[in-house]
Amino acid sequence: MTIEKPDNLIEHFEIATDKFKNNKLFGTKNKQTGNYEWLSYGDIRKKVDNFRGGLASINIKKGDAVAIIANNRFEWAVAAFATYGVGGRFVPMYENEILKTWHYITKDADIKFLLVSNKAIYEQVKHFKDEISTLEHIYIIEDDSELSMGYLEKTGEKTPVASIMPNVDDIAALIYTSGTTGDPKGVLLTHGNFVSNARAGNRRYPMLNETSRSLSILPWAHSYGQTAELYNWLFLGGSIGFMESVDTLADDLLKVQPSFLIAVPRVFNKIYDGIWAKMNETGGLSKTLFEMSVNAAKKYREQNGKVDWLTKLKLNFGNKVVFSKIKAKFGGKLLASITASAKMNLEISHFFTDIGLPVYDCYGLSETSPAITMNSPDENRPGSVGSVLEFIKVRIDRSMISDDSDDGEIQVMGPNLMVGYHNKPEATKAVFTEDGWLKTGDRGTIDKDGFVFITGRIKEQFKLENGKYVFPAAIEEDIRLLPYIENAMIYGDGKPYNVCIVIPNCEVLNKTAEALALKTKVDKLANSPVVQEFMSLEIKKSLEGNYGHYEIPKKFIFTDENFSIENGMLTQTLKLKRRFVVEKYKDQIEKLYKN
């Protein structure tokens, strides 16, 4: 299949920066004033041209690897497109990462030029040059010395070079996977991979245009945020404001006023939990009117708008008085969102649709650039992860499944498939079939209309002692919806029954203690046998009817240490590192099966 033009990221970028020269592109919060300051497409084009010249001046050339350790910021995009313009490979790394991983990636990817966000990171990595033979330069974004990004831009302005137009099959980037089971793997993605995937997603959303604005939440170091936001937005001529931090998200939403969000389910789960917690805390008439409005919206959806006049009246009230306040918290201009990385809870998805803020599920992998399937306003089936994008094929391989299920492994073919894993030929061979299809490792089905439904993760599934298969992720997501629960992980591989590691929601417990006039400290409250018994019963009760009795955990471990990136329990994309969690709690887990 011939990929239409533009078929590479440089041509894509230069067309966009010519066409939308005066449009706002990137907005950054000024930490002194709290206001957002914007750079135009033309501003960024000039910076890219200058930095490309700067890279060339220190002999960064075609095929060289340029890396960055930084959160999303306009300099990230400048560095990326300047790298593509000299024919280089771009290797993004997370700013919130351990030194060992930075070192591994820098060495594995044969990095020649490393750009870091600040002096603190520079001090941590400056010794890399003595240990990694390919590494010649380390520069700093937030600096004014001769090792600063700004200095290199000034050099490039004096010694400009024209951009190299990459071929469709040239490697654009190495996106390192999170390494849930071992060392990170560098996914080799081409210019054609990125452009074809961004274009395919863009065509599903004709509602987006030059006036569209996103608040950048997801790291561009992962292909989801990079393709769906950065590259896709260049087709639109729209703008992207950078979230300052998770702690300032509420304020950033108000100031950026996004019309579209690219996020993960956990963002909406948290917002949903917060809305209901606030209503339950407020109580009284406010809660009554809220529930009335939500129920009216639900009825309207379920009956396709064919409802009685009273329901319409309640819904009209809800839209004007109740839901408008929720929308205002998002900045007041939000039309819709897409979410991926995990399947959206159907109840929560319906809730946001009902109040006028639809969230559309998508599905993909780093190895597929990343999108495979996508829901959208014109093609949407709640509960699914959407239909297959243009020029991509999906099939279900049932040969790997040893039980009586109708599902199988999702396998993919298309212009979005990676070249392979850098320096890992055996790992590359293992994820491709003999006829060239990528094995996703995910279980799923396809309905008669072409919508894909995820049923589990083959690597995460385990078999109980009685031979029954368990897919823990869905159970865990439902447990996390309980107001008293912050996080949870199911375990039972080869065991007679499932157990669950539970992290209580201390904020909710604290409010409960205050409401009951209890003086017990939260940490002691969470360890109280009475409270733990209550939470155990609530978890079991919430799962009954939706899961088989063998899937519902029988015993529990309660801990106040949440799973996080910092303690190594979560990947950068917030996926559980199950092996690490099991290792940490192995003694407590074994005790549960002995007692």
Side-chain angles (χ1 to χ4, degrees), residues 206-482:
M207 63 193 286
L208 300 177
N209 55 42
E210 289 184 48
T211 67
S212 298
R213 179 167 291 177
S214 171
L215 177 67
S216 188
I217 297 172
L218 298 182
W220 290 345
H222 189 273
S223 59
Y224 174 34
Q226 196 175 138
T227 303
E229 189 167 62
L230 178 57
Y231 304 143
N232 178 29
W233 240 242
L234 294 178
F235 280 110
L236 309 173
S239 53
I240 301 169
F242 297 111
M243 176 183 72
E244 182 183 1
S245 71
V246 173
D247 295 335
T248 65
L249 177 58
D251 181 59
D252 297 342
L253 283 166
L254 293 175
K255 288 177 177 173
V256 172
Q257 296 183 308
S259 55
F260 199 82
L261 284 179
I262 296 151
V264 292
R266 188 163 294 190
V267 172
F268 297 98
N269 293 351
K270 287 286 187 183
I271 293 169
Y272 176 85
D273 289 344
I275 291 170
W276 277 104
K278 181 67 175 177
M279 285 299 105
N280 290 330
E281 182 183 347
T282 304
L285 181 60
S286 295
K287 184 182 179 183
T288 300
L289 294 175
F290 176 76
E291 290 180 335
M292 178 196 76
S293 302
V294 169
N295 290 333
K298 179 181 179 181
K299 186 176 180 181
Y300 188 88
R301 168 179 46 82
E302 291 177 341
Q303 298 183 13
N304 295 315
K306 298 175 182 178
V307 294
D308 56 83
W309 68 269
L310 183 58
T311 301
K312 289 181 180 179
L313 184 65
K314 292 177 180 178
L315 179 57
N316 187 50
F317 173 85
N319 284 328
K320 290 182 177 179
V321 179
V322 180
F323 304 152
S324 59
K325 292 179 181 178
I326 297 174
K327 291 178 181 179
K329 296 289 186 181
F330 285 91
K333 295 184 178 180
L334 189 63
L335 300 175
S337 306
I338 61 169
T339 182
S341 183
K343 191 171 70 172
M344 187 83 172
N345 176 275
L346 192 56
E347 178 186 335
I348 296 176
S349 178
H350 283 323
F351 171 82
F352 282 104
T353 297
D354 292 346
I355 68 173
L357 297 173
V359 180
Y360 299 102
D361 254 329
C362 310
Y363 165 66
L365 312 169
S366 295
E367 292 84 346
T368 57
S369 310
I372 300 169
T373 65
M374 188 173 289
N375 280 300
S376 62
D378 294 331
E379 292 186 48
N380 186 37
R381 185 148 298 173
S384 79
V385 289
S387 56
V388 181
L389 292 174
E390 62 180 11
F391 307 123
I392 296 173
K393 297 178 182 178
V394 165
R395 70 184 185 187
I396 304 298
D397 176 18
R398 293 178 174 82
S399 65
M400 294 186 63
I401 309 304
S402 57
D403 59 12
D404 298 326
S405 298
D406 294 328
D407 62 354
E409 183 181 39
I410 299 169
Q411 297 182 351
V412 186
M413 174 73 80
N416 59 327
L417 296 193
M418 69 171 182
V419 171
Y421 296 120
H422 183 60
N423 290 337
K424 289 182 167 54
E426 292 302 315
T428 300
K429 184 179 179 181
V431 297
F432 282 98
T433 64
E434 290 186 4
D435 55 347
W437 292 69
L438 181 84
K439 298 185 283 187
T440 66
D442 291 313
R443 286 180 69 161
T445 60
I446 306 175
D447 71 11
K448 60 182 179 61
D449 297 317
F451 286 89
V452 175
F453 292 78
I454 305 295
T455 56
R457 176 85 180 148
I458 289 173
K459 288 183 179 179
E460 289 184 351
Q461 73 178 24
F462 58 80
K463 189 187 287 186
L464 291 168
E465 191 178 73
N466 60 10
K468 295 282 189 181
Y469 281 97
V470 174
F471 302 92
I475 305 171
E476 292 157 357
E477 281 299 319
D478 284 344
I479 292 173
R480 292 185 193 110
L481 292 177
L482 294 170

Side-chain angles (χ1 to χ4, degrees), residues 137-151:
H137 309 281
I138 304 178
Y139 277 73
I140 311 164
I141 296 173
E142 297 171 13
D143 191 45
D144 54 10
S145 72
E146 291 187 0
L147 290 179
S148 72
M149 183 180 187
Y151 182 86

Side-chain angles (χ1 to χ4, degrees), residues 46 53 56 77 95 141 168 189 259 279 301 335 411 421 450 497 507 513 528 546 554 556 579 585:
K46 184 176 181 181
E95 190 168 322
I141 296 173
V168 63
L189 297 175
S259 55
M279 285 299 105
R301 168 179 46 82
L335 300 175
Q411 297 182 351
Y421 296 120
Y497 51 81
E507 186 177 344
S528 162
N546 296 317
K554 287 184 168 51
F556 300 85
R579 181 166 60 88
Y585 293 100

Side-chain angles (χ1 to χ4, degrees), residues 270 482-486 503-510 522 535:
K270 287 286 187 183
L482 294 170
Y484 297 97
I485 309 301
E486 179 70 25
I503 294 90
N505 187 321
C506 291
E507 186 177 344
V508 172
L509 284 178
N510 190 42
V522 172
M535 286 190 282

